[in-house]
Amino acid sequence: MSESCNRSFWSFYTVQTDNKKEIIKELCEYLFSEQYSDFYTQIDNEDETDKDDVEKYFSKSIIGRFINLINNIICPFTLVVEPHYIDQSFRDTFYMYFSNQHFSVDRSSIRVSFLNGDYNINRFYTEELCKLNENFIGSCVINPLVSGAIGRTLLSPHYILPEKNSCYMRVSDYTLNIYGKTLNVKAFPYRSQDQETMRCAEITMLNIFDYYSNTYNDYRIATPSDIISCEEKHNFERVLPSRGTTYPILTKVMSEFGFDPRLYTMAGIDNYIFSSLEKKDKLKRVLHYYIESGIPVAVNLKSTPQSSSSDNHSIVCIGHGKIKNELHIKARKNCFIPFNIQNSNDDIYKNPIVNSADFFEDYVIVDDNVPVYQIRNFSDFSPNMLVDGFAVPLYKRMFLDAVDAETIFYDLLFDENFGFSDFAKEILKKDEKVVFRMFMASSKSLKKFRVEKYEDVDLKYYYSSIPMPRFIWVCELYREEEYFNNNESKMAFSEYIIDATSAPSRGPKSLILMKFPKYLTYRLPDQNDIEMSEWREIETDQKFIGYSGNLLKY
């Protein structure tokens, strides 16, 4: 393969099941010429070496990581190799750092793209673009480095995940130009650290900034030198060669790029005596609110107390797995109902709240130590490491964070005037448990979703015409039985919407809209009291499909 790659201007290689091992081996020889000999000498001597040592060497080697990255792609698929590729991130790193060193480093990268099926040059240029896009799996940049050679990688989860319908995640629609063809792929960026200019925290930031700049016009493209320059402002010593960075500095860098980040740590979680929730469970709830909102979160990991090391690691969390029914019992034990209502002797509906965040423990992560789109347990994101905290890159006008929004919703749910129990008596049984689902969404997306799903024309009109800020916090309520029996289109019976640009001190005055089975009520922006503008009676659409516009199902 290496000879033909050097000989021809473009290269197409179809990988079948019977030649996959041979083709990948030749590809690795071409891409990683300096490390190739040592790597395959170690792997080929597997019989003479401890198997665990070989697997550890394989997973840590850059060649092994590249092989693991593409091993999940189902054959047949076609490799499209582009030598002398100019990668923006690596070229920036080259002029910032590597060009200053005595021993020369090549400034050009190689890009390998993947197409589902058997392609040659003729088919690639004659096939309709829509069909070509359907079969486009993504691309991987290989930089001319011994460590951190895997550059900007964009791969579709549809072709990478081993199990279908296993998770929900946030991705962006990227446009790439492959030999004159404009191709699109829905992906989340992935890279490996070079351990000289980029460590795990910098890679975390670069991937998050890459996602945001591609998805929203509010954010600019970030280069490694931009991140390093920001780190220099907030450090007390030099930052190159990189030794990694702390999460307080990571949030400062996020601020420089137009975000209003929020940092949560395990140590900062309150531990209430009368609560059955552990600190870890509370921190996981907050993380889940943001993941359910479609916000990529930077997660800080630290070594377990039992581990002999004191390392830290940084990853990105971009989605969650499926509901686990076995977590239902624990979630019910951690249900919420205010003390005054719980101990009231009045003949009122006492509907405890079961938090939907407690039904999940698997999350989708992007970790440069392993292939992209790993589905891992919250307690085991990385071997011998635990979640110590996370940083959330919030939009600059999202003043209300998840913890404050949850508090406001709980106050509203059991308010004597606006509580859901009195308005849902015809749907709920007395003392029946209710599932609480909370997330942030853009008002534009939520309105679009509700207008598409509602049948009632008046409801369509009210949802589309009621003024809302750019981002809102939403609480949906479900009957517990219906939430678990319907895995696809779960039907909610009530909804509360509050202003994400509001201050925590405003409390229930942040309320914008409430929808109950038979009523819809709302407030307008010029109302500073808690009184509603109007109450509208609803004849149809008493239940509605839960919002699903933040994450894609894979």
Side-chain angles (χ1 to χ4, degrees):
M1 173 175 286
S2 57
E3 291 181 2
S4 58
C5 283
N6 290 327
R7 188 170 59 243
S8 58
F9 184 71
W10 53 71
S11 304
F12 291 78
Y13 299 91
T14 299
V15 180
Q16 305 285 355
T17 305
D18 57 351
N19 69 358
K20 184 175 184 179
K21 188 173 181 179
E22 178 187 349
I23 290 289
I24 290 179
K25 190 172 182 178
E26 291 182 12
L27 177 66
C28 289
E29 181 181 8
Y30 171 65
L31 297 176
F32 311 100
S33 55
E34 293 184 20
Q35 306 103 294
Y36 175 82
S37 179
D38 291 340
F39 175 81
Y40 274 100
T41 298
Q42 183 78 20
I43 298 303
D44 291 340
N45 291 337
E46 183 175 345
D47 295 338
E48 304 172 12
T49 314
D50 185 84
K51 187 175 181 181
D52 291 338
D53 290 341
V54 173
E55 289 180 357
K56 188 180 295 185
Y57 175 80
F58 187 89
S59 63
K60 288 187 175 181
S61 166
I62 197 67
I63 300 179
R65 289 181 182 177
F66 176 75
I67 293 172
N68 282 333
L69 191 68
I70 63 176
N71 255 348
N72 287 328
I73 302 177
I74 299 173
C75 295
F77 64 91
T78 300
L79 301 169
V80 183
V81 181
E82 296 174 275
H84 310 297
Y85 177 73
I86 299 175
D87 179 66
Q88 183 184 31
S89 292
F90 177 70
R91 189 59 66 91
D92 174 80
T93 303
F94 174 83
Y95 287 119
M96 173 187 67
Y97 179 79
F98 291 107
S99 63
N100 299 310
Q101 296 182 324
H102 173 68
F103 291 101
S104 63
V105 175
D106 192 357
R107 64 177 185 169
S108 294
S109 305
I110 300 171
R111 183 167 66 175
V112 182
S113 298
F114 308 92
L115 290 166
N116 182 44
D118 183 357
Y119 277 84
N120 54 29
I121 296 173
N122 184 61
R123 183 184 175 189
F124 180 78
Y125 283 109
T126 58
E127 188 164 73
E128 292 184 6
L129 190 59
C130 60
K131 184 64 177 177
L132 200 60
N133 268 304
E134 287 179 12
N135 290 324
F136 184 51
I137 299 172
S139 69
C140 174
V141 172
I142 304 298
N143 296 321
L145 298 173
V146 174
S147 179
I150 298 178
R152 189 180 191 230
T153 299
L154 300 167
L155 296 174
S156 169
H158 177 75
Y159 293 99
I160 298 301
L161 290 171
E163 181 185 349
K164 302 305 178 188
N165 301 324
S166 59
C167 63
Y168 303 80
M169 72 175 78
R170 187 72 174 183
V171 293
S172 182
D173 195 356
Y174 284 86
T175 300
L176 303 176
N177 188 285
I178 312 294
Y179 282 133
K181 288 283 190 176
T182 302
L183 303 179
N184 298 308
V185 59
K186 292 184 183 297
F188 195 90
Y190 170 88
R191 296 168 171 86
S192 61
Q193 53 182 297
D194 60 33
Q195 299 182 351
E196 293 188 58
T197 65
M198 297 269 110
R199 293 276 184 167
C200 56
E202 286 89 0
I203 289 295
T204 293
M205 288 187 280
L206 195 58
N207 286 335
I208 289 177
F209 296 159
D210 190 338
Y211 160 81
Y212 272 100
S213 64
N214 186 74
T215 309
Y216 305 103
N217 293 328
D218 305 75
Y219 306 100
R220 62 186 174 93
I221 296 173
T223 62
S225 62
D226 294 331
I227 294 174
I228 297 301
S229 296
C230 290
E231 286 185 2
E232 286 175 340
K233 293 180 184 178
H234 306 291
N235 262 297
F236 297 99
E237 61 175 347
R238 69 180 190 180
V239 297
L240 288 175
S242 177
R243 295 185 179 183
T245 191
T246 63
Y247 260 54
I249 291 179
L250 179 144
T251 56
K252 292 295 291 182
V253 176
M254 285 183 172
S255 298
E256 297 270 358
F257 279 86
F259 296 94
D260 249 6
R262 185 75 167 84
L263 180 61
Y264 300 88
T265 62
M266 189 70 77
I269 298 293
D270 294 326
N271 196 9
Y272 297 108
I273 298 175
F274 300 106
S275 174
S276 60
L277 279 175
E278 298 179 0
K279 279 190 171 186
K280 182 188 75 171
D281 299 322
K282 293 179 182 178
L283 191 67
K284 184 176 76 68
R285 273 190 183 180
V286 179
L287 174 69
H288 188 84
Y289 294 149
Y290 287 116
I291 297 303
E292 192 79 309
S293 303
I295 300 176
V297 176
V299 181
N300 185 29
L301 306 177
K302 72 172 184 178
S303 299
T304 60
Q306 297 79 18
S307 175
S308 58
S309 66
S310 57
D311 295 334
N312 282 60
H313 187 44
S314 180
I315 62 174
V316 186
C317 187
I318 62 169
H320 62 71
K322 295 187 291 188
I323 290 173
K324 290 192 172 181
N325 290 332
E326 59 266 29
L327 297 176
H328 190 185
I329 296 175
K330 180 180 178 181
R332 291 179 113 237
K333 290 180 180 178
N334 292 329
C335 65
F336 172 82
I337 189 168
F339 184 79
N340 61 324
I341 294 180
Q342 185 177 358
N343 293 278
S344 173
N345 294 321
D346 299 335
D347 187 26
I348 61 173
Y349 274 51
K350 303 174 183 178
N351 298 108
I353 295 296
V354 182
N355 199 313
S356 67
D358 295 343
F359 304 146
F360 300 85
E361 63 179 4
D362 293 336
Y363 292 87
V364 184
I365 63 169
V366 177
D367 180 354
D368 64 278
N369 285 337
V370 293
V372 68
Y373 310 131
Q374 295 291 305
I375 303 174
R376 296 285 178 86
N377 189 287
F378 178 81
S379 301
D380 190 28
F381 278 161
S382 188
N384 301 316
M385 304 196 89
L386 296 173
V387 175
D388 186 53
F390 52 85
V392 187
L394 295 174
Y395 179 66
K396 58 186 176 183
R397 294 186 181 88
M398 290 180 185
F399 302 132
L400 201 65
D401 79 339
V403 176
D404 294 325
E406 180 190 52
T407 301
I408 293 173
F409 279 133
Y410 279 171
D411 289 343
L412 286 168
L413 294 179
F414 294 98
D415 185 272
E416 61 179 10
N417 296 316
F418 307 119
F420 67 92
S421 293
D422 287 339
F423 294 98
K425 285 183 177 179
E426 295 184 11
I427 287 180
L428 293 176
K429 299 174 185 176
K430 192 172 183 180
D431 301 333
E432 178 182 1
K433 288 182 172 60
V434 170
V435 174
F436 165 93
R437 178 183 177 231
M438 187 183 103
F439 55 89
M440 185 189 289
S442 72
S443 56
K444 180 180 178 180
S445 297
L446 184 83
K447 288 182 176 184
K448 181 175 182 291
F449 186 88
R450 295 289 185 238
V451 167
E452 288 177 354
K453 300 299 181 183
Y454 277 132
E455 295 181 2
D456 190 300
V457 175
D458 288 337
L459 272 178
K460 292 176 184 284
Y461 171 74
Y462 282 112
Y463 264 89
S464 62
S465 61
I466 292 171
M468 296 183 189
R470 183 172 181 179
F471 291 99
I472 51 180
W473 280 105
V474 182
C475 158
E476 294 177 343
L477 299 179
Y478 303 79
R479 291 188 62 216
E480 186 182 35
E481 180 182 345
E482 293 178 353
Y483 186 86
F484 278 95
N485 290 342
N486 192 343
N487 290 325
E488 292 302 321
S489 299
K490 299 181 186 300
M491 302 297 289
F493 66 83
S494 285
E495 176 176 49
Y496 290 74
I497 296 177
I498 62 175
D499 177 13
T501 69
S502 183
S505 59
R506 289 184 59 82
K509 290 185 178 180
S510 304
L511 180 65
I512 295 175
L513 178 148
M514 295 185 296
K515 183 193 178 301
F516 303 114
K518 290 191 174 182
Y519 296 96
L520 175 95
T521 181
Y522 59 90
R523 294 169 63 227
L524 297 175
D526 57 355
Q527 291 182 262
N528 289 317
D529 54 19
I530 194 62
E531 295 301 319
M532 297 292 107
S533 290
E534 195 173 3
W535 286 78
R536 285 282 174 174
E537 193 167 348
I538 301 170
E539 295 183 1
T540 60
D541 291 314
Q542 294 191 3
K543 294 182 182 180
F544 53 94
I545 298 174
Y547 179 72
S548 60
N550 285 333
L551 303 173
L552 291 179
K553 185 177 181 180
Y554 285 98

